[in-house]
Amino acid sequence: MIRIGTGFDTHAYDAASPLRLAGLDWPGEPGLSGHSDGDAVCHAVVDALLSAAGLGDIGGLVGVDEPGTEGAASTGFVRLALARLADAGWRPVNVSVQVIGNRPKFSPRRDEAQAVMTQLVGAPVSLAATTTDGLGFTGRGEGIAVIANALIERA
């Protein structure tokens, strides 16, 4: 049995924070606002994995009121989601992620980001990026949005 899930996340830029995206640090780029490190790729992947298995979303996995979540690395949230999937008898087959925003310029680090996320998820993760041709909050350079789709199967 296979299932698919979709996740979405968005964060505004925060010049006072370092950028953490797709499990990587991006020196010289404005960070993303958020309770944790704001890694919108990891957040969307968590939602995609959990929704595919019918296990809710990131808010049900880790709440902003939980100790230790403030400033936490979002890669840990992915690990928690994977453990929840395994406990329910599921494993990831692959994940596809689309980053929407003007920055950071993603293509120079795409392979590196894919390798980090693939190792983290334990299944192939493909990453792509696009802009919105100046439209909306991403086009105005106010933040980024991320859409992820996860395919899972019974373990």
Side-chain angles (χ1 to χ4, degrees), residues 35-102:
H35 181 73
S36 66
D37 64 3
D39 189 331
V41 168
C42 285
H43 296 179
V45 168
V46 166
D47 278 347
L49 290 166
L50 293 175
S51 72
L55 297 173
D57 56 35
I58 195 169
L61 184 68
V62 289
V64 295
D65 296 332
E66 288 185 39
T69 58
E70 186 172 356
S74 296
T75 52
F77 302 159
V78 176
R79 288 185 192 96
L80 287 173
L82 291 166
R84 181 85 45 96
L85 249 66
D87 289 347
W90 296 98
R91 68 174 170 231
V93 174
N94 78 302
V95 178
S96 175
V97 179
Q98 179 78 48
V99 178
I100 305 160
N102 295 340

Side-chain angles (χ1 to χ4, degrees), residues 24 26 106-115 126-130:
L24 299 174
W26 297 74
F106 209 82
S107 60
R109 297 190 72 190
R110 176 181 289 113
D111 291 343
E112 182 183 7
Q114 286 180 158
S126 59
L127 287 143
T130 191

